[in-house]
Amino acid sequence: MFVITQSCCSDAACVSVCPVNCIHPTPEERGFGSSDILHIDPEACIDCGACADACPVDAIYPADKLGTRDKVFIDINADYYKNNPDVTSGWSSVTYPDIPKLPAGLRVALVGTGPSGGYALRTILDRTEASVTVIDKLPTPGGLVRAGVAPDHPGTKGVLRGFDLLYRDPRVTMATNVEVGTGEGQITPDELAEHFDAVFYAVGASESRRLGIPGEALPGSTSATDLVAWYNAVPGMEAPPIPRDGTGRAVVVGTGNVALDVARILVCPPEMLATTDIADRALRILEEQNIHEVVVLGRRDQAHAAYTSAEYRALSTIPGVEVVVHDDPDADLPDFSAPADPDNRRITFLFHTTPEEISGQSRVERVTVATGGRQHQIAADLMVRSIGYRSTPIGGLPFDDERGVFPNVDGRMTTESGDVIPGVYVLGWAKRGPSGGIGTNKVCAEATVEDFIRDAAAGHLPRTTHPAKAFTALLRRRTRQVIGYRGVRAIDASERRRGLAQGRPRVKYTELSEMVGAAGWRKK
């Protein structure tokens, strides 16, 4: 019997290869995307191992090979089927997709290399003969898999291995370190539309929503987006000013998976983080300030917390860290106005609580909150908001500022007045908003590409009149340090060599100039 463990990213590649249809929920079933992991039916599994071979993040193992920490997933997989008796397994039938006749010589631009972009690329290559130019504003591909997944969750990053194989396809051209917009040195959306038959925008949602309370602009008040980018080595991100002699406490507002990632990283013993690919700049500061308590604020009760059960269970695996939950709004609370206990590491959940004010002389020193209608103060050096995300507007493209997405109808981008823009598509969080993980984005990307295929077959795409080499010439004139696949591989190899010397998977570059240099560009 095989078992799916916490590293599951809901890619669902395992579903398609299972001969007995015993992995649920499938992308077509209720609960897919909202479930933290997929589950294998222990009664129907025939131990063929096809699912383990197909899993991109190494989350599937034989039950008798599980480590002590993962044995709990034997019962978790089985309980899913006990609690969902309507879910049935059985021998699968093969369904062949329609293969419409498409125009020859299609050329596509794909902006963004996160999970949505990666799955869109795979579907385009599998379902069409189009050539694809992949564009990213950073020198390295991966989007939020590289820059958003927590350093202590290396398994999830394994999905990038499959995308890397796609970048080697002879129909794919990489152009990283290229930004799309209307600023200096950028490629405009109009220019992309002129040089390609279709353009896909898979640019995610990288901007954090604000709390709108007094003191939010104080140093030490930041967003989860910026903090995660800082410790994941995104170039140009500044460190939060956390003093060595402070309270030893941080406050995180929000109860989603990202909020738990932040809490876990902040309170995790630095010696454990030193074995991951966390940015050196973050590791040094975390070693010096050594936060001992993170207070996670939830507006409602624990039953309505946004994190998945797998992420919550992961907190209990941090050695020496206590998890404390306060879910009764009328119960007595600890005195959070004093500094954290330096002899104990803990993550404290404070539900029924909302932040009202952040205060301090020149930096964050206190957070005033209301728990069950009672106002009290939390002494803290760091305040992190993790209350939702929105896409960042791109110059030259329409944008729905209220929803924080690019306006679209089923992935077809529209003008602000609602008219479909032929040949322009949007997918992932930039299309739907920040909901669902890797598996949901895979389904979204595949559906949007299928819409593109139907449009191409129906003759609805405005075909470019420019030769392929014209865009290459435009890139060289506009952005001189364009990085192709060879340069991307050179950066990867260099980071891995740096990590090998320290016993780490890699040591990431944190300066854009260093990344460009590692790719082969040298100052003249």
Side-chain angles (χ1 to χ4, degrees):
M1 180 182 71
F2 281 75
V3 176
I4 299 178
T5 63
Q6 180 189 331
S7 298
C8 176
C9 68
S10 296
D11 168 275
C14 55
V15 172
S16 60
V17 300
C18 178
V20 292
N21 189 33
C22 75
I23 304 176
H24 299 271
T26 69
E28 297 77 28
E29 293 174 336
R30 175 179 55 83
F32 183 84
S34 59
S35 176
D36 35 339
I37 63 173
L38 304 185
H39 306 84
I40 295 176
D41 185 344
E43 299 297 327
C45 178
I46 60 172
D47 292 336
C48 69
C51 56
D53 292 338
C55 179
V57 295
D58 298 327
I60 306 178
Y61 297 92
D64 59 355
K65 301 295 184 182
L66 293 174
T68 303
R69 190 183 73 174
D70 288 333
K71 287 188 181 297
V72 64
F73 289 97
I74 297 175
D75 291 334
I76 290 172
N77 276 249
D79 287 346
Y80 175 81
Y81 293 91
K82 293 177 184 177
N83 297 330
N84 295 275
D86 57 321
V87 176
T88 58
S89 304
W91 289 96
S92 303
S93 58
V94 178
T95 302
Y96 295 98
D98 293 332
I99 305 178
K101 182 175 178 59
L102 301 181
L106 285 173
R107 297 209 308 272
V108 173
L110 176 59
V111 183
T113 58
S116 293
Y119 288 121
L121 177 61
R122 175 180 296 173
T123 310
I124 293 169
L125 294 177
D126 287 347
R127 299 276 282 119
T128 78
E129 295 298 323
S131 59
V132 186
T133 297
V134 177
I135 299 170
D136 200 286
K137 67 179 181 180
L138 291 177
T140 49
L144 282 181
V145 178
R146 176 181 167 100
V149 173
D152 59 342
H153 280 180
T156 306
K157 300 182 183 185
V159 71
L160 293 181
R161 293 193 295 267
F163 297 157
D164 183 72
L165 293 174
L166 303 177
Y167 301 146
R168 305 179 196 180
D169 190 288
R171 287 185 284 149
V172 174
T173 301
M174 290 206 76
T176 66
N177 199 36
V178 174
E179 191 161 3
V180 175
T182 53
E184 183 179 355
Q186 298 177 355
I187 300 297
T188 70
D190 284 348
E191 288 170 332
L192 287 178
E194 290 172 5
H195 286 81
F196 294 92
D197 302 308
V199 184
F200 289 82
Y201 290 93
V203 293
S206 59
E207 188 174 307
S208 179
R209 298 185 184 276
R210 300 188 68 83
L211 293 165
I213 62 175
E216 194 169 6
L218 275 172
S221 172
T222 187
S223 69
T225 302
D226 288 349
L227 190 68
V228 169
W230 168 67
Y231 66 60
N232 269 331
V234 174
M237 302 306 300
E238 295 184 1
I242 311 173
R244 298 184 187 182
D245 56 350
T247 67
R249 182 183 290 118
V251 173
V252 176
V253 183
T255 59
N257 284 346
V258 175
L260 266 60
D261 281 345
V262 169
R264 195 177 62 253
I265 293 298
L266 289 175
V267 80
C268 189
E271 58 271 18
M272 287 187 62
L273 295 176
T275 64
T276 72
D277 68 356
I278 191 171
D280 278 355
R281 64 189 180 193
L283 187 59
R284 288 192 296 268
I285 290 179
L286 292 174
E287 286 173 340
E288 291 173 358
Q289 55 77 30
N290 211 11
I291 286 176
H292 280 75
E293 182 176 31
V294 178
V295 179
V296 180
L297 307 184
R299 182 169 54 89
R300 298 196 288 176
D301 60 6
Q302 187 176 22
H304 290 90
Y307 55 69
T308 62
S309 56
E311 285 294 326
Y312 181 75
R313 283 192 296 267
L315 300 180
S316 64
T317 66
I318 311 173
V321 174
E322 179 186 16
V323 178
V324 180
V325 177
H326 297 284
D327 195 26
D328 183 350
D330 300 318
D332 293 335
L333 296 173
D335 181 10
F336 291 109
S337 64
D341 182 355
D343 296 324
N344 292 289
R345 292 181 180 273
R346 66 170 59 90
I347 297 174
T348 301
F349 287 88
L350 199 55
F351 291 100
H352 307 278
T353 300
T354 55
E356 296 187 338
E357 183 179 6
I358 306 168
S359 55
Q361 291 296 319
S362 58
R363 57 176 174 81
V364 172
E365 296 176 5
R366 295 172 302 280
V367 181
T368 302
V369 304
T371 300
R374 295 172 294 163
Q375 192 178 77
H376 57 107
Q377 291 192 337
I378 301 175
D381 309 307
L382 180 65
M383 171 74 165
V384 185
R385 65 183 187 275
S386 183
I387 56 171
Y389 307 91
R390 49 187 282 124
S391 294
T392 302
I394 294 175
L397 288 179
F399 190 72
D400 184 340
D401 193 63
E402 183 177 350
R403 295 181 56 216
V405 298
F406 294 87
N408 68 92
V409 176
D410 295 331
R412 297 176 176 92
M413 193 175 291
T414 66
T415 64
E416 294 177 355
S417 60
D419 297 324
V420 171
I421 305 173
V424 182
Y425 303 86
V426 59
L427 46 140
W429 282 10
K431 166 187 173 181
R432 310 185 318 274
S435 62
I438 290 176
T440 308
N441 282 329
K442 178 184 181 183
V443 174
C444 175
E446 291 173 344
T448 303
V449 172
E450 291 298 329
D451 287 338
F452 152 73
I453 291 173
R454 284 188 283 271
D455 291 346
H460 293 164
L461 299 182
R463 300 300 301 272
T464 179
T465 59
H466 293 282
K469 62 183 180 181
F471 184 69
T472 301
L474 173 64
L475 278 178
R476 288 174 178 169
R477 291 195 306 269
R478 191 70 51 77
T479 308
R480 295 193 175 276
Q481 294 179 325
V482 179
I483 297 173
Y485 180 71
R486 183 176 298 179
V488 167
R489 293 298 299 166
I491 296 172
D492 177 73
S494 181
E495 288 184 339
R496 290 181 182 276
R497 286 194 299 271
R498 285 153 50 100
L500 186 63
Q502 299 182 27
R504 300 168 60 187
R506 70 174 66 238
V507 173
K508 293 179 178 177
Y509 290 108
T510 57
E511 296 295 332
L512 192 61
S513 59
E514 294 177 335
M515 301 173 82
V516 171
W521 287 96
R522 296 288 184 265
K523 290 184 179 180
K524 295 183 179 180

